[in-house]
């Protein structure tokens, strides 16, 4: 249970530290002469002590001196003073804990104590190397932390922006549907009840499904069909509506409220004063590729008079950029009085 709470990155970092110190420990053992010469340099307790002191220098430098004294407090002189003090102290301990040094053939050239003098210092290089390793580790750790922090900030910004963009769609969509229902109550009162039933389905989708990060293509098709049928109840035979859904992969996932603005705009701007209004909707998925197109007739003079024109369209363009960067193609054309939207998305 405890290990499940530990982040994988922490476990990996601990394992890397253990491998590093195992490598440092076994270097002298693996590199010593095979005939047993210089055996005095490799007594087990001294090897453990040396590695312990090297670890003290490494972690003291990497986890306290650099982040606390140098980076946070900005006291360069204090940092180098403490670093030099730790360096000299640990070197002194290493020198005076050194066992008898025996050359090949049993010669002991350093007198009765069988130890080299202080100036014969074999510890400066390991201490300097481990201090440099502490520098390198701290620098890389700080760089990775900065990159991770920047990525988290970017992801949080994207999530917030997506939530805001999605929240724009729902009020805009409900406003249009209510207007449609009001118009229908005047033109065909008997159709208001089935219209409200279709509207309740749409609201249920928006309340319970659109809050999810992903919806299935089957749910998306049901939603689009409910919306189109709602508009057909409103306009009846006054608008020629043709829609076809060919979804061979109903379990494929897609973000909610991503396609409806195109269909919504088709009915909004493809009716009214438009001569021979017609709306065509086509959706197909195959091999992970979504192919979606919406075509409607429109009055070019009325299109840009609406102050709200483009809210849903600009919204969905931005969401596509955030959600499917480099994995979508949106082409909008307006030849004559026909407005056409072609969208392809490589589904995740």
């Amino acid at each position: 249970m405890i290990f499940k709470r530990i982040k994988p990155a922490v476990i990996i970092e601990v394992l890397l530290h253990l491998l590093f110190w195992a490598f440092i420990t076994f270097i002298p053992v693996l590199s010593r002469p095979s005939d047993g010469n210089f055996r005095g340099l490799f007594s087990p307790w001294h090897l453990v002590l040396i590695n312990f002191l090297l670890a003290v220098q490494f972690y003291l430098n990497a986890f306290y001196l650099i982040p606390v004294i140098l980076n946070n407090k900005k006291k360069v002189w204090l940092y180098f003073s403490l670093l030099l003090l730790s360096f000299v102290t640990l070197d002194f301990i290493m020198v005076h804990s050194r066992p008898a040094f025996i050359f090949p053939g049993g010669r002991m050239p350093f007198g009765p104590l069988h130890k080299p003098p202080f100036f014969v210092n074999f510890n400066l290089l390991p201490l300097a190397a481990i201090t440099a390793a502490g520098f390198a580790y701290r620098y890389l750790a700080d760089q990775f932390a900065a990159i991770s922090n920047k990525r988290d900030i970017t992801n949080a910004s994207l999530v917030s922006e997506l939530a805001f963009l999605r929240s724009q769609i729902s009020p805009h969509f409900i406003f249009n549907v209510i207007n449609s229902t009001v118009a229908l109550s005047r033109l065909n009162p008997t159709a208001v009840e089935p219209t409200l039933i279709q509207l309740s389905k749409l609201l249920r989708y928006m309340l319970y499904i659109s809050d999810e990060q992903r919806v299935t293509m089957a749910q998306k098709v049901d939603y689009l069909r409910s919306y189109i049928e709602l508009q057909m109840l409103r306009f009846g035979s006054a608008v020629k509506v043709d829609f076809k859904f060919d979804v061979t992969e109903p379990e494929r996932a897609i973000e909610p409220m991503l396609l409806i603005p195109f269909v919504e705009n088709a009915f909004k701007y493809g009716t009214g004063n438009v001569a021979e209004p017609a709306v065509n909707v086509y959706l197909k998925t195959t091999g992970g590729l979504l192919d979606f197109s919406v075509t409607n007739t429109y009055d070019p003079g009325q299109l840009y008079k609406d102050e709200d024109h483009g809210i849903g369209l600009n919204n969905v363009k931005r969401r596509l950029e955030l959600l499917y960067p480099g994995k979508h193609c949106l082409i909008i054309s307006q030849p004559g009085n026909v407005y056409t939207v072609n969208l392809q998305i490589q589904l995740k």
Side-chain angles (χ1 to χ4, degrees):
M1 183 65 68
I2 296 177
F3 289 103
K4 291 182 179 180
R5 300 177 182 177
I6 302 176
K7 295 181 179 180
V10 176
I11 297 176
I12 293 174
E13 184 175 1
V14 171
L15 291 176
L16 288 176
H17 279 266
L18 293 176
L19 288 174
F20 172 77
W21 288 111
F23 175 74
I24 295 296
T25 300
F26 284 103
I27 281 181
V29 177
L30 296 176
S31 60
R32 68 177 178 174
S34 58
D35 58 358
N37 291 327
F38 299 100
R39 60 185 179 275
L41 292 176
F42 300 103
S43 62
W45 74 267
H46 186 251
L47 194 61
V48 171
L49 177 63
I50 291 296
N51 287 323
F52 173 76
L53 295 176
L54 291 176
V56 169
Q57 178 71 2
F58 178 88
Y59 290 109
L60 178 66
N61 186 37
F63 286 90
Y64 179 73
L65 295 181
I66 294 177
V68 177
I69 304 299
L70 186 60
N71 292 345
N72 290 345
K73 297 183 179 180
K74 307 295 183 182
K75 296 181 178 180
V76 179
W77 62 270
L78 180 59
Y79 166 75
F80 282 105
S81 298
L82 293 176
L83 182 65
L84 180 61
L85 178 61
S86 66
F87 196 98
V88 172
T89 302
L90 295 177
D91 181 64
F92 181 82
I93 297 174
M94 289 180 181
V95 169
H96 287 273
S97 63
R98 183 181 300 154
F101 183 60
I102 304 175
F103 275 126
R107 293 185 298 109
M108 296 175 288
F110 296 119
L113 294 180
H114 303 172
K115 292 184 179 181
F118 184 80
F119 59 83
V120 183
N121 197 331
F122 301 103
N123 305 307
L124 292 179
L125 183 59
L127 275 172
I130 211 67
T131 302
F135 271 110
Y137 172 83
R138 187 72 267 162
Y139 175 79
L140 292 175
D142 289 343
Q143 291 299 311
F144 282 125
I147 292 173
S148 177
N149 186 53
K150 185 177 180 180
R151 184 176 61 248
D152 291 342
I153 293 174
T154 301
N155 290 340
S157 299
L158 290 178
V159 170
S160 298
E161 185 172 1
L162 283 174
F164 174 72
L165 291 174
R166 185 182 294 177
S167 69
Q168 280 187 312
I169 293 177
S170 299
H172 185 238
F173 170 75
I174 293 174
F175 177 78
N176 289 336
V177 172
I178 291 176
N179 282 343
S180 299
T181 307
V182 171
L184 183 63
S185 66
R186 297 171 182 172
L187 299 174
N188 188 4
T190 58
V192 172
E193 182 178 352
T195 299
L196 292 177
I197 293 175
Q198 292 291 344
L199 179 58
S200 68
K201 293 181 180 179
L202 298 177
L203 292 176
R204 186 179 299 111
Y205 177 94
M206 294 170 62
L207 289 174
Y208 299 107
I209 299 180
S210 65
D211 284 338
E212 298 179 6
Q213 295 298 320
R214 296 288 190 84
V215 297
T216 64
M217 287 304 306
Q219 292 172 317
K220 176 69 72 175
V221 167
D222 289 341
Y223 180 62
L224 290 174
R225 181 178 284 110
S226 296
Y227 179 81
I228 294 172
E229 290 175 353
L230 176 62
Q231 296 295 356
M232 292 174 66
L233 286 172
R234 172 189 173 188
F235 293 108
S237 60
V239 179
K240 182 181 178 180
V241 180
D242 183 23
F243 65 95
K244 180 181 179 181
F245 299 139
D246 183 11
V247 178
T248 58
E249 301 167 310
E251 296 305 316
R252 283 277 186 177
I254 189 174
E255 276 67 17
M257 306 300 291
L258 193 60
L259 304 180
I260 190 61
F262 298 113
V263 181
E264 181 185 354
N265 284 340
F267 281 100
K268 180 178 180 181
Y269 299 106
T271 57
N273 297 327
V274 178
E276 298 182 358
V279 176
N280 299 315
V281 181
Y282 173 73
L283 182 132
K284 180 180 180 180
T285 61
T286 179
L289 180 67
L290 180 146
D291 193 357
F292 179 70
S293 66
V294 180
T295 303
N296 65 277
T297 53
Y298 75 102
D299 181 2
Q302 291 294 118
L303 182 62
Y304 298 102
K305 289 183 180 181
D306 189 350
E307 294 181 357
D308 294 331
H309 169 68
I311 292 179
L313 186 59
N314 292 332
N315 187 314
V316 76
K317 284 181 179 179
R318 181 57 178 157
R319 291 185 68 202
L320 286 169
E321 292 173 0
L322 294 173
L323 295 168
Y324 298 96
K327 295 184 179 181
H328 76 279
C329 178
L330 176 62
I331 300 176
I332 299 176
S333 57
Q334 301 171 243
N337 65 334
V338 178
Y339 194 95
T340 303
V341 174
N342 290 295
L343 173 63
Q344 287 187 335
I345 300 176
Q346 186 64 51
L347 299 176
K348 300 176 182 179

